[in-house]
Amino acid sequence: MTEDHVFTLTQVERDQTRAVAEALAEVEPRLVDDRTWLDACRGMSAELPERLRRRLRAFLHDPQLDGVLLVRNLPVASTLAPTPTVYESVERAATPAAGTTALVSMQIGEVIAYRDEKSGALVQNVVPVAGREEQQSNAGSVPLELHVENAFHPHRPDMVALFCVRPDHEGGAGLRVASIRRATALLPYDVRKVLGEERFRTEVPPSFGAPGGQAPLHAILSGDFDDPDVRVDFHATHPADEQAADAMTVLRAALDTVTRAVHLRPGDLAVVDNRVALHGRTRFTPRYDGEDRWLHRTFIHLDHRKSRALRADNGQVLS
Ligand SMILES: O=C(O)CCC(=O)C(=O)O
Ligand SMILES: [Fe+2]
């Protein structure tokens, strides 16, 4: 990958960010999901370094070919708690790391969550969980298939932010990112046409109370023919007919060709544009010793109003 997608804070900018995150960590009741704290976070996100805010603004205008922005050299804590080990772990405490993740996310848009996923918490932990190694979720450690986040959901995130708190022991775990903007050029016209038709279904996870019956048909590519949005999860999306299956196979090969692995280091925050890029993860070996790989994750909507009917009291959680 060219380095166009990387933005590195200077030491001065890092210190400036640390000061904002530390001030935010003092805001009562020091809970991420609390409305008062979130209001403070939204406001304080305007105090992030100007160069970073400009870069985020440019990324919102155009996510470039890769559909990912990697912000490096954000502040990290000098002492860290052990990596959580439980399933569905979330970060309710407004630690500086959770605050940093929320500050950058709030500068991009509105942080949202789903009542039916990770108990509706806005900052979630991505950690390996013993016994779930083989699972196609962020608790696993086998390769995680490329996917658009919550591809089944009509109000899926526009952006996904992943902040590295702690890397895996061997530094081998890679966040995989594949951009449809890069893959489209590799797709024959006829394949693109099929992918643009409602010939695919994406399973709804049981936690979202899958209504009896089949998930609705949807297209994988939509919008502009030459610069489409993408909606597919290679674990959960299924073709409805043979031609659709063939088109998915070609799409998958094209995405595999353009996939890049990003090895996140502490203080790195990846912003993935969930409309034009898929993400996944390479294999790694957890030890479950409190020092395992640990990311904070947020979901971001760019037009909060669109999901208003699903959010009680104009809060952040969709139900
Ligand atoms: O572990 C990773 O790098 C990404 C996991 C993932 O897909 C997610 O948390 O949404
Ligand atoms: Fe994901």
Side-chain angles (χ1 to χ4, degrees):
M1 205 175 335
T2 59
E3 293 298 298
D4 295 352
H5 67 294
V6 181
F7 175 91
T8 308
L9 277 81
T10 64
Q11 293 310 310
V12 170
E13 289 167 337
R14 174 157 100 152
D15 292 345
Q16 192 182 340
T17 305
R18 186 192 304 279
V20 182
E22 284 177 355
L24 179 60
E26 299 297 313
V27 172
E28 298 291 347
R30 303 185 195 211
L31 291 173
V32 170
D33 302 281
D34 175 84
R35 193 178 286 248
T36 312
W37 189 89
L38 284 168
D39 287 345
C41 177
R42 190 180 293 106
M44 289 166 83
S45 75
E47 293 165 31
L48 288 171
E50 181 182 341
R51 216 170 51 92
L52 172 60
R53 286 184 285 120
R54 282 177 177 262
R55 184 56 184 266
L56 294 172
R57 185 66 185 79
F59 184 69
L60 290 179
H61 164 63
D62 189 329
Q64 303 293 322
L65 263 183
D66 288 309
V68 61
L69 175 65
L70 179 58
V71 179
R72 302 209 111 135
N73 203 30
L74 285 162
V76 288
S78 47
T79 55
L80 268 184
T83 298
T85 54
V86 298
Y87 189 55
E88 304 271 273
S89 166
V90 298
E91 198 68 21
R92 301 247 180 221
T95 61
T100 301
T101 310
L103 282 164
V104 177
S105 303
M106 278 292 205
Q107 187 57 32
I108 297 170
E110 284 296 325
V111 175
I112 58 106
Y114 304 88
R115 177 74 56 213
D116 296 329
E117 183 179 14
K118 305 224 184 203
S119 51
L122 295 172
V123 174
Q124 307 165 358
N125 289 320
V126 176
V127 294
V129 177
R132 296 185 183 262
E133 289 76 8
E134 308 282 324
Q135 194 172 308
Q136 281 295 309
S137 84
N138 61 27
S141 39
V142 297
L144 179 58
E145 298 263 26
L146 286 173
H147 60 279
V148 157
E149 197 64 33
N150 289 355
F152 68 93
H153 205 290
H155 293 281
R156 55 199 165 275
D158 296 314
M159 303 275 168
V160 177
L162 293 160
F163 179 60
C164 180
V165 179
R166 186 177 267 141
D168 65 307
H169 294 89
E170 288 141 26
L175 168 68
R176 300 177 73 225
V177 187
S179 162
I180 194 66
R181 286 184 138 183
R182 286 193 183 276
T184 300
L186 306 176
L187 299 174
Y189 177 89
D190 288 351
V191 170
R192 280 155 69 181
K193 238 178 132 289
V194 172
L195 293 170
E197 291 165 1
E198 296 188 342
R199 296 165 76 164
F200 308 88
R201 296 180 197 278
T202 300
E203 289 164 35
V204 180
S207 63
F208 278 79
Q214 276 185 323
L217 285 166
H218 68 84
I220 287 181
L221 302 183
S222 64
D224 187 72
F225 191 74
D226 293 317
D227 182 14
D229 283 7
V230 63
R231 177 181 181 187
V232 67
D233 177 333
F234 284 101
H235 179 63
T237 305
H238 307 288
D241 60 79
E242 218 166 289
Q243 215 185 5
D246 291 346
M248 261 185 91
T249 304
V250 176
L251 172 66
R252 189 179 186 136
L255 286 165
D256 276 343
T257 308
V258 302
T259 296
R260 317 295 170 102
V262 179
H263 295 273
L264 297 173
R265 305 188 297 240
D268 284 353
L269 183 144
V271 185
V272 180
D273 188 324
N274 202 41
R275 288 95 40 101
V276 301
L278 291 84
H279 66 279
R281 194 207 51 246
T282 61
R283 167 191 303 283
F284 68 106
T285 311
R287 295 188 193 161
Y288 309 120
D289 59 355
E291 300 276 326
D292 274 317
R293 182 170 186 262
W294 182 8
L295 313 181
H296 284 334
R297 180 178 76 173
T298 59
F299 296 153
I300 302 160
H301 271 169
L302 301 182
D303 183 350
H304 207 209
R305 192 72 195 156
K306 267 194 185 161
S307 63
R308 178 63 185 87
L310 301 182
R311 293 180 291 101
D313 301 325
N314 205 20
Q316 310 294 124
V317 181
L318 280 65
S319 49

